Amino acid sequence: MPPQVETVARLTDYTSINIRILYIISFISLSLHVCTWSVFYPKILAPDRTILREGEHPPSAPLPDSTYKYTHSGRESERQRRAVKSGSVEFIHPKLKEEIENDPGDPNNPWVWLTSFSRIPVEAIQEFCASTKEYCPPGKSGPQGTPGLPGLKGAKGETGRGGPAGLKGSRGHTGSLGPVGPRGPKGFAGRNGKQGLDGLDGLPGEPGLDGVPGRNGMDGIPGIDGVPGTPGMAGVPGTNGKDGWKGDQGPRGPMGLVGERGLPGPRGRAGDHGKPGRPGIPGICAWKVAGPCDEVEHLLIPPSISNSAEGTGRPVIVKEKETLKLTCAVAGDPKPVVSWSRSDNLTIIDGQTLRLSNTIGGVLNITHINRQHMGVYTCEANNGVPPVARQQFIVHVYFSPTVIVQEQVVGGWAMERVNLECMVEAWPESVNYWEKDGKLIQVGKKYSITQSKGRLPYQFSSTLSLTLSEREDEGTYYCVSKNEMGITRGNIQLYKRDPNRPPPPKSTGKLEFEYFGDRAPELLGFQDICPKSEPCPDCAQMGPLRCEGSARIFGVGISAFDPSLPGITNRTEDCTLETIGKPVFKKYTPDQHGAWMMDPVPRYPEDYYKIWTVSGGESTEERSWVREYLDEERYRAEISSRNHSLRYPFKGTSNVVYNGSFFYYNEEKEAIVKLDLATHQERCLPIPRGKQKGLNIPNLMCDQVRRPSGPDFLTRLYPEMGGQVYVDLAVDENGLWAIMAMKENNNTLVLKISAWNMELTWAWNITLNHNLVADMFIVCGVLYGLDRTDARDTKIRLALDLYTHQMLEIELPFTNPFRHTTMLGYNPRKDRRDRSHRPGGFLYTWDGGNQLTYPIKYHDIGYTEPPPPTTEPSDTQAYTVKVQNELRNRNG
């Protein structure tokens, strides 16, 4: 508490105490006055008597003037005053009050004024209070008087003992800031604090690729039996049971005696016609010619079909959706003409709309076979020399049953005979029956079942007839068809008609047939599966070109741009892309062009989570800044920790951060610039225009680099993006790369750069027109090309191994969710928790202002490829025994 406030509080307490003391003295004075007046009033003789002492009798008349004068002019002697008893009360004439007040009296026993005309010694008051305190009850408290005027400031008293702590006062005004005090001595080291609370959960990580399905869990423990239910009420007595089924036939009785021979029976029916016999050997002369037969120069041979006799009568069995090829191998002279037709008065089906009465050719192709193709096909060979050769092929198409119901809800009146009908398509011929409530319906007095064949051999119908006589007859009936290919159930709902209630609705509400089971597949012809396409041009003469529908680019050549360069070292990782996952959203920025980067090989541990961004603007000011963010959270909140200024502006947004340095392309110097983000030192590597013998200088200062004179050497990359990318810088497991396009021939130039000293180690001249791809990146030394950046669904179909100069067969789907990708890069950074030696990384893009990442899965090539995972279930006994045997063989 401030000292001023403490002083004011003490003065307030003292004032309160003094007021209370004054109230007590006033009360005592009033009490004494009342008591004294009532006791001494009879003794008072006159109001102008100067002094009335105890024991004196007042005179009967006022004093004479001489006496008054004497009393007024004279004074009582000291002896007389001391003779006054201690308990005397004096009444003073008002005219003598001033004179008596000037008399000091006895300092040990001073006078106390009771009223304006009476006084009493202090000892008398004390004596009176001590003797009457037991008899005078306290009076009622009087009204509060008006506060008196503040007294004069008294002398400073002695410091009293400290009182109890008062209530906390209100906060005072903030004082002015005082001068800075001297630095105090260093304090002692404090104790270690308690362990802090768990931090907030981090942001969700990128979703991984689909894992291998885990093994089945163990069966749970059987549950405890439930509490037995309360006994139910007695049921209604049931109806009388139905008559039982007819019993089995009894055993055959003993053979009776032989009877007499009966009369001969009628003649039996004629049998079927026999099979046609083999054709006879034709004669040598089949045609009449002029002259004797032995002078015929040309031998005419009638047509024949190989294995025609063996193939007749045996069906050809296929399943639906398969492809069937019927071949008719013929011989004869002249060469016979082969035609095909169907012997069941049906046409040959070719696709959805084309129907043929016959077709010419030695081979009949039936593609994507359907049940409608089932029938008898006849191959006929004819060359004009009789007889004509024929061979039949019986085609059976196997498929599971299809149940077709026309009326799925059927109603009938009481005691009416109702028919439930279903049509069945199945081959081999199916067994058809009916069920209700899970029980097989037997033919008897109540039920009758009728089976019939349809127009085609695989079509059947089944009809169930019954009489609606009981409540139990209503419900759902199932038409069941079963063959070796499967079983199908079609349901029909039967109800009793009631004029007071509407019929139940159908299960589907459709007005067409209801199909149960597999329907017939779509009819496809040869032209539907293999449509005619224009032949690919001579790709070798047209240079790099991608044929429509092909995953490869033909005519791509690769050679050394400058053989005098030092050369590349062995690559660190051998891998190819196997799968690209779904994009993961990171942040949205209104700019359609831009770049965001992360360091795959950070120089310091605190740089692992940092993010750097550059703008996609065209002005020099926008191209001269690199913004740095401490982590992804601050990047989303646009809270940059540091902004780096560039002396030489960058061109394009395909830049990278690698090992604590920012690499970019500067158009004014036509060079790749390395900016150390810690020291801001700059080094440059000029773009090579030819052989670099003697010109390849490591760690070249940027001030020493000058743009070569002459026409432009580079042209703009990826025109589909709409940006200003001339050099696409890339990073993979093997280091720093640069991709660019030469203006002279549109070839692609790829540079391998040493990031430590900015030395050009190797360069590839690839006869790939950069306009055939929308973007390129490098993973494990393999150059990949993306087809489109403005389509939602596209593919990666270019993969060129820069180390082996081989084109790889690849076709990976890729997604541009916002259909405007202006930056695509690869970051080989692995998760810190990943202790394996496998490659790890992700793709990152700038798609319509959205920053996205793509998880990827690799396929190792060469000796680093791991053994393929087993496809056997991990919880089977066979797998366990095999692993134990392998371990036993290794240990033994």
Side-chain angles (χ1 to χ4, degrees), residues 52-71:
L52 182 63
R53 294 182 174 88
E54 186 178 2
E56 293 184 354
H57 300 279
S60 59
L63 293 175
D65 294 337
S66 59
T67 306
Y68 174 78
K69 292 178 180 179
Y70 171 79
T71 307

Side-chain angles (χ1 to χ4, degrees), residues 698-736:
N699 284 326
L700 186 62
M701 301 291 294
C702 292
D703 296 336
Q704 304 174 4
V705 178
R706 298 290 183 270
R707 182 184 177 91
S709 59
D712 293 337
F713 177 69
L714 301 179
T715 184
R716 187 162 63 96
L717 273 172
Y718 318 138
E720 183 180 297
M721 288 185 175
Q724 297 294 326
V725 178
Y726 285 83
V727 176
D728 186 359
L729 292 159
V731 174
D732 75 341
E733 292 78 4
N734 303 285
L736 181 64

Side-chain angles (χ1 to χ4, degrees), residues 9 35 65 87 129 197 236 285 388 394 491 576-577 623 688 736 772 783 794:
C35 295
D65 294 337
C129 291
L197 301 176
V236 180
C285 290
V388 177
I394 303 174
N491 61 76
T576 57
L577 293 182
R623 295 186 291 112
L736 181 64
L772 295 178
L783 178 67
T794 182

Side-chain angles (χ1 to χ4, degrees), residues 298-305 329-337 381-383 385:
H298 189 69
L299 183 63
L300 302 178
I301 303 174
S304 62
I305 302 174
V330 299
D333 194 5
K335 185 177 181 180
V337 177
N382 188 1
N383 63 352
V385 180

Side-chain angles (χ1 to χ4, degrees), residues 424-703:
V424 177
E425 293 183 357
W427 196 262
E429 186 175 351
S430 61
V431 177
N432 304 322
Y433 55 92
W434 291 81
E435 290 181 350
K436 184 179 185 298
D437 299 332
K439 297 180 180 180
L440 180 68
I441 296 178
Q442 299 287 350
V443 178
K445 295 181 180 179
K446 188 176 185 63
Y447 300 101
S448 63
I449 299 176
T450 304
Q451 307 278 357
S452 61
K453 290 187 176 182
R455 183 175 61 89
L456 299 175
Y458 58 85
Q459 293 180 341
F460 311 92
S461 65
S462 178
T463 304
L464 172 65
S465 298
L466 71 155
T467 303
L468 276 174
S469 59
E470 299 176 357
R471 181 78 174 178
E472 290 77 9
D473 295 337
E474 299 183 60
T476 303
Y477 290 79
Y478 292 91
C479 175
V480 186
S481 179
K482 181 179 181 180
N483 66 359
E484 62 181 83
M485 302 299 295
I487 182 172
T488 305
R489 290 178 171 85
N491 61 76
I492 300 177
Q493 186 177 1
L494 177 62
Y495 71 98
K496 185 182 296 185
R497 294 181 183 273
D498 187 351
N500 297 323
R501 62 175 182 175
K506 296 183 179 181
S507 59
T508 60
K510 298 180 181 179
L511 299 178
E512 58 183 13
F513 290 92
E514 190 70 26
Y515 287 80
F516 299 90
D518 297 333
R519 302 185 66 170
E522 184 181 6
L523 289 171
L524 296 177
F526 183 76
Q527 296 296 331
D528 298 327
I529 298 178
C530 301
K532 292 183 179 180
S533 59
E534 295 296 331
C536 289
D538 189 357
C539 298
Q541 298 180 2
M542 299 187 65
L545 183 68
R546 189 196 303 277
C547 294
E548 185 65 28
S550 173
R552 298 186 59 181
I553 296 180
F554 296 91
V556 175
I558 182 170
S559 60
F561 181 76
D562 181 7
S564 64
L565 293 173
I568 58 175
T569 59
N570 294 333
R571 54 183 166 189
T572 307
E573 295 286 350
D574 290 344
C575 66
T576 57
L577 293 182
E578 181 179 354
T579 306
I580 299 178
K582 297 180 181 179
V584 180
F585 177 80
K586 295 296 182 181
K587 184 180 180 293
Y588 172 74
T589 304
D591 299 334
Q592 295 297 311
H593 295 269
W596 66 296
M597 301 154 285
M598 288 175 283
D599 195 344
V601 187
R603 189 182 303 172
Y604 306 106
E606 57 269 18
D607 295 344
Y608 184 83
Y609 298 101
K610 286 185 178 180
I611 296 178
W612 292 265
T613 64
V614 296
S615 173
E618 297 290 337
S619 64
T620 304
E621 177 67 21
E622 292 177 316
R623 295 186 291 112
S624 300
W625 291 95
V626 179
R627 289 174 174 80
E628 179 180 310
Y629 302 88
L630 290 178
D631 51 30
E632 185 177 330
E633 183 178 356
R634 289 176 174 82
Y635 173 51
R636 289 177 173 172
E638 290 289 347
I639 304 175
S640 60
S641 59
R642 188 178 181 186
N643 295 331
H644 304 273
S645 177
L646 307 179
R647 278 205 305 162
Y648 308 105
F650 58 84
K651 186 70 173 179
T653 56
S654 295
N655 313 311
V656 296
V657 174
Y658 185 70
N659 194 237
S661 298
F662 176 58
F663 295 87
Y664 63 95
Y665 171 69
N666 177 256
E667 187 180 25
E668 288 75 14
K669 292 185 175 292
E670 199 179 79
I672 298 174
V673 182
K674 172 187 177 182
L675 173 69
D676 193 309
L677 296 173
T679 62
H680 280 202
Q681 293 182 357
E682 297 167 335
R683 296 293 184 270
C684 287
L685 172 66
I687 299 298
R689 292 196 173 193
K691 292 189 176 182
Q692 298 294 300
K693 189 173 183 180
L695 302 176
N696 191 12
I697 303 175
N699 284 326
L700 186 62
M701 301 291 294
C702 292
D703 296 336

